[in-house]
Amino acid sequence: MVCIAHDSATKSLHGEPAVQENKAMTAAPSAAPLVRPFTVAIPDSELDDLKQRLARTRWPDRETVPDWSQGVRLENAKSLINHWEHEYDWRRFESELNRLPQFLTEIDGLDIHFIHVKSKNPNAMPLILTHGWPGSIVEFLKLIGPLTDPVAYGGSVEDSFDVVIPSLPGFGFSEKPTESGWTVARIAAAWAELMKRLGYQKWVAHGGDWGSVVTTALGVMQPEGLLGIHLNSQYAFPAQLPDTLSPEERDAVDTLDLYTGALGGSNHLQATKPETVGVALADSPAGQAAWIYEKFQSKTDNDGLAEDALDTDDMLDAISLYWFTNSAASSARIYWENYTGSLAGPKLTLPVAVTVFPRDIPRLPRSWIEAAYSNLIHYGEADEGGHFAALEQPAILVDELRAGLRSLRS
């Protein structure tokens, strides 16, 4: 994804859905001719095929170490796959999605899928939420109610948001690019067009992981109407690391080393050979599950297992979305498209709010964040949570979004 100079060496971070348009939905955004309602409808044959593939999984021999240093442990992978095959209910999740207003709109030659939920408060602030990899719209579903109807969740009506949740190009139900060139800057430009198309004259943006990179690109671009941004992943390493590091700075460098080293295998492979890994993952649901499950295990605030931090069905919602949309290769290409990016900057001048989660990887010190964001309007430190903040700690993130972006409402 991005890289940074460190100790004279470059540290790199890389180290077809079955759907239908919903003609019955009436909550269409203002630009009706450009925006079409959408419903998820995976055929029974696809569900049957998944069950059959899971039942025929050919397992590797077990790892030769007593930990996760070789990747997903065989016993944990078998447990997850057994739950997926025998207990998980895709139709439950599909119904949950279809209770939300979903849409498609063509931007820059691609159909972009998005959820658009408007608050009953006419003064609500429009907010676009962007996921990363192996994220998806799944990670923001538990935020929708508290953000759009804060009173019902113990908040103040003044903290109401209209929520727009797009799927990145090549992810989920968004169309897959058929040509190269979909960089984060191009995605950010598409998001600016989306908010304009929905009729929003003033709005804010949030992201984590790749969503934070896209949101940062919006911050550089400063399109008309963008009031400010919130980030739970900060790309604010200095261009040149100081000769002497404070304990907090040393921790940032150490977690970067972990991110690009022991945890960086999938990033590097997707940044260099996304189509190769795509062939494997498109053919094996067990492989797709393991590929994502390992990231949930290694980057969440857990006591040794991803299940300590995330509900098993929440993980399988995300994994199933990748499987049924056959988006392993197309989503992996975001790493290939942005291989030369950098964790060093860019410096932003528009209002920026941040929340630092204790088990995020890498975790940056406040001094570097303040140096990168000259108009830092909010700095929050969560008590718990890791890299997948929205999925792990939705209540904390909701509180931080309310507090961090409140000053921009006036």
Side-chain angles (χ1 to χ4, degrees), residues 183-204:
T183 64
V184 291
R186 187 172 178 180
I187 297 171
W191 279 196
E193 171 60 25
L194 175 60
M195 297 303 279
K196 179 181 179 181
R197 186 170 296 181
L198 295 177
Y200 291 127
Q201 296 180 347
K202 295 181 179 180
W203 49 282
V204 292

Side-chain angles (χ1 to χ4, degrees), residues 6 237 241 245 249-258 368:
H6 168 48
F237 274 80
L241 293 177
L245 299 173
E249 292 168 342
R250 170 52 59 188
D251 180 66
V253 173
D254 289 344
T255 54
L256 177 62
D257 285 343
L258 177 62
W368 290 358

Side-chain angles (χ1 to χ4, degrees), residues 219-220 222 346-352 372-376:
V220 173
Q222 295 194 39
K347 295 186 180 300
L348 300 179
T349 58
L350 86 167
V352 178
Y373 310 140
S374 60
N375 192 3
L376 186 66

